[in-house]
Amino acid sequence: MASKLSLTAITDLSISRINCTKRPQRVPLFPISSPPFHYSFKRKLQPPPSSSSVSRSNVVSEQVIESITTDSTQDSETTPSAPSSTKLVLVVGGTGGVGQLIVASLLNRNIKSRLLLRNPEKASALFGQQDDEKLQVRQGDTRNPENLDPSVFEGVTHVICCTGTTAFPSRRWDGDNTPERVDWEGVRNLVSALPSSLKRLILVSSVGVTKFNELPWSIMNLFGVLKYKKMGEDFVRNSGLPFTIIRAGRLTDGPYTSYDLNTLLQATAGERRAVLIDQGDKLVGEVSRLVVAEACIQALDIDFTEGQIYEINSVQGDGPGSDPKKWEELFKGAQKGVPL
């Protein structure tokens, strides 16, 4: 049974948690060269846009702005310039649907981040001009091991890998961006390049990876996405690195790729803030990208999540927000010695 928790509403956070007396029963079909250079940001962020300029229903509430991070959204002028922790978190896939929310949340928590991107220019559009003491950007392509310069990993203490592509052929496959190249070869190349001193690697994967030969998962796996994600998982498990794997359901909320950092910090999961966490590849259903992002960040600091694989969904109701103790209860409640 998935871990359970009944909570009152938390208005300073959009990501929420649990309500798991019944598991969701609907099974959705879902799609889940040049030398490297340094790229840093220096300009201050602009103030958040007015409520009239952000109209999407799943982004900002007109009554309450719920931050996806520990504290309510802060103006850039009041945010400390020095990192508040000793972490240096490398985010791989940081401009994707989940990755952009992870980066925004790390910035708002004042945790130093480094992004590994094929196209560094995308970072400035999403996150603004940041001081390199808070956010650094490096160019690199996990699909090509020779494109992963060792300097990218210098000083890195934690890694969150949330790369991915579509399950079925699409324009996102252009440029050899297939599941095999991204979810298998890319993960393998990245993990092979990581330092042995790493404190934790978080890998975002998918529910159904152990069932890719069974219906309905075999339909989703027609082009190998679940098979290749499982191969990437297995490589992580056998790497000897301290890891946590988060298997997400069908992703909802976002991606907010046309918006900036202030919009990302105001994004909410609407009424689907309750969180279900389980193990054994049993969960089916949907999960907010904001919930996945928060789960990745929380798992970095929860010791007993090391070496574990979790499935995660979100349903209607109130949830954990960014409360570490509540996330600990969720992760702990899911662990019961089942096969991973």
Side-chain angles (χ1 to χ4, degrees):
M1 182 181 295
S3 57
K4 308 178 185 179
L5 195 57
S6 176
L7 302 170
T8 56
I10 299 176
T11 58
D12 66 337
L13 252 148
S14 66
I15 350 191
S16 315
R17 139 197 237 144
I18 190 149
N19 175 353
C20 66
T21 52
K22 291 186 179 180
R23 251 184 219 133
Q25 297 301 314
R26 180 165 61 88
V27 181
L29 300 181
F30 58 97
I32 317 199
S33 61
S34 56
F37 64 87
H38 294 183
Y39 191 96
S40 63
F41 302 132
K42 295 292 184 182
R43 181 172 55 81
K44 289 184 179 179
L45 292 174
Q46 297 300 315
S50 64
S51 58
S52 61
S53 67
V54 183
S55 59
R56 296 179 73 163
S57 60
N58 64 341
V59 177
V60 181
S61 164
E62 294 180 358
Q63 297 176 339
V64 179
I65 294 178
E66 296 175 310
S67 169
I68 65 172
T69 56
T70 303
D71 302 311
S72 58
T73 305
Q74 298 177 344
D75 183 88
S76 60
E77 294 185 357
T78 63
T79 301
S81 58
S84 61
S85 77
T86 58
K87 293 189 188 75
L88 173 53
V89 182
L90 177 70
V91 183
V92 187
T95 58
V98 172
Q100 60 186 250
L101 296 167
I102 290 173
V103 175
S105 189
L106 290 171
L107 283 170
N108 202 48
R109 283 169 158 93
N110 211 24
I111 296 174
K112 187 174 182 179
S113 312
R114 182 179 294 166
L115 308 188
L116 179 64
L117 299 174
R118 300 175 200 167
N119 181 6
E121 286 75 15
K122 287 184 177 180
S124 61
L126 281 170
F127 312 120
Q129 303 285 342
Q130 300 289 334
D131 190 284
D132 60 8
E133 285 301 310
K134 293 184 63 177
L135 180 64
Q136 305 167 354
V137 179
R138 303 289 186 266
Q139 186 184 48
D141 187 344
T142 58
R143 299 171 303 174
N144 302 309
E146 66 276 7
N147 199 241
L148 298 176
D149 191 276
S151 64
V152 169
F153 309 104
E154 290 179 0
V156 169
T157 58
H158 301 74
V159 174
I160 301 176
C161 178
C162 45
T163 53
T165 187
T166 55
F168 299 99
S170 71
R171 293 180 63 182
R172 287 185 61 189
W173 282 28
D174 293 349
D176 203 18
N177 201 43
T178 63
E180 181 177 11
R181 295 284 280 134
V182 175
D183 294 309
W184 162 230
E185 295 179 20
V187 171
R188 179 192 64 195
N189 295 335
L190 172 68
V191 172
S192 299
L194 293 176
S196 59
S197 59
L198 197 70
K199 293 182 178 180
R200 189 71 64 89
L201 164 64
I202 309 292
L203 175 69
V204 178
S205 184
S206 171
V207 299
V209 293
T210 66
K211 305 173 183 179
F212 59 80
N213 288 322
E214 306 172 17
L215 285 171
W217 310 109
S218 57
I219 298 174
M220 289 309 305
N221 193 53
L222 285 174
F223 295 90
V225 65
L226 296 178
K227 178 185 75 172
Y228 292 125
K229 284 183 181 293
K230 183 61 166 61
M231 291 171 65
E233 283 191 11
D234 291 343
F235 195 84
V236 168
R237 293 177 65 184
N238 295 324
S239 67
L241 294 172
F243 72 88
T244 305
I245 295 172
I246 304 292
R247 292 172 176 164
R250 189 180 76 87
L251 295 168
T252 65
D253 296 323
Y256 307 110
T257 50
S258 62
Y259 295 134
D260 60 11
L261 175 63
N262 293 308
T263 299
L264 295 174
L265 290 175
Q266 295 165 359
T268 75
E271 295 181 351
R272 298 174 61 86
R273 300 187 302 269
V275 176
L276 305 178
I277 298 181
D278 208 343
Q279 291 187 306
D281 208 2
K282 300 188 189 74
L283 286 185
V284 295
E286 301 178 337
V287 62
S288 168
R289 286 180 170 89
L290 291 103
V291 169
V292 178
E294 185 67 22
C296 291
I297 293 174
Q298 292 288 342
L300 292 174
D301 294 318
I302 302 176
D303 290 342
F304 63 77
T305 63
E306 181 180 329
Q308 298 294 316
I309 302 176
Y310 302 95
E311 292 82 51
I312 186 166
N313 282 355
S314 56
V315 295
Q316 186 171 354
D318 294 317
S322 61
D323 187 321
K325 291 185 179 179
K326 293 173 182 177
W327 278 98
E328 283 187 24
E329 292 173 16
L330 278 169
F331 282 119
K332 178 63 76 175
Q335 293 182 206
K336 43 194 173 295
V338 298
L340 302 179

